[in-house]
Amino acid sequence: MNPRKLVSVVIPVLNEVDTLDALYGRLLSTFERASGTDFEVVFVDDGSSDGSRERIRQICARDPRIRLIELSRNFGHQLAITAGIDHSAGDGVVVMDGDLQDPPEVILDMLERWEAGADVVYGVREARLGESSVKRAAASVHYRLLRWLSETEIPLDSGDFRLISRQVADALGEMRESSRYLRGMVAWLGFRQEAVHFQRDPRYAGEPKYNFRSLLKLSLDGITSFTDRPLKLASQLGLSVTGLAVVYASWIIVAKLLDPTRAFQGFSAIMVVVLFLGGVQLFSIGILGQYLARVYTQSKGRPLYVVGRRVGWEADPPHRFDPTMDRTFQDDALEPDAMRADRWGHR
């Protein structure tokens, strides 16, 4: 008889109090139909201020399969997912958003592909209901631009909604880069990856948490994390502009030699050239700055996130999570002084 497998469902939460009950109910209904599978749900509260933490604590109190990680502040969507994966114990790990745009019922299709041997089963959005045409167009441009620039084959129109095996989750846990683009990181790892197509639903309640600024940051993280081609394009652009300048200067010299009386005038043309060259220089410096900023952030060596409190692990056996990977205030308060000193190399 095959042992029952445990599936961890990681859900980042930011002000989703009106969605939590419906989400919890649909997850229960989904896993009731998943024969031979146990589950745990790891909610990661990313600094909510609307009562989401309190509501999840109530669910934890009546269902031991529900866990809660309370981050000390808002660290962002990608780092909240990272915290959940770090703390997951399942043989397989499902990542999904907490707004019910990722239908929990699709998990059954993912489990079927996983049982058949896939290490990664990612969701591909066939339709994005409830989103503006501008947002859909921007997302389409982002995915295709990233595919063109990147050396890593990142699936088109796929978000973070996916199932990964324990082997993939452990490999992902070893990648501690601070500027995280998880869907690209999973693609970079390789393994056997398959797609499940689904229709993305409108938000169940609340407001979208990704604004233009955060979407732009995510897009830049994806580009700078998986390709250095923008740096090469900036160099090529600078070389091209230099070539044009040499050609133009040569033409002026030749024309003046052939006709010494010829005068070259045109203040507007000169200003256009100067402004164009200045724009090329600033654009190139900006690209370089994006990469340099990420090197600076990574060099500080700070933890990716800080956990303020964990709920739901008290009665469990030792967990897969290694507390030395990212420090928490709670762990420092509970850990004996001698053990803590040994862990950090002090006596």
Side-chain angles (χ1 to χ4, degrees), residues 9-22:
V9 183
V10 172
I11 305 176
V13 174
L14 177 60
N15 297 332
E16 300 287 1
V17 67
D18 295 328
T19 307
L20 292 172
D21 287 334

Side-chain angles (χ1 to χ4, degrees), residues 97 99-103 129 131 198-204:
D97 288 336
D99 53 14
L100 282 176
Q101 288 189 280
D102 299 332
L129 304 180
E131 296 183 359
F198 73 100
Q199 179 175 280
R200 196 167 196 236
D201 295 333
R203 286 186 61 88
Y204 181 84

Side-chain angles (χ1 to χ4, degrees), residues 4 47 87 98 124 126 133 180 188 198 234 243 254 271 309 319 333:
R4 295 175 65 88
H87 287 75
V124 176
E126 290 185 333
S133 57
R180 303 180 77 76
W188 179 87
F198 73 100
V254 171
M271 288 303 300
R309 181 180 180 183
H319 203 264

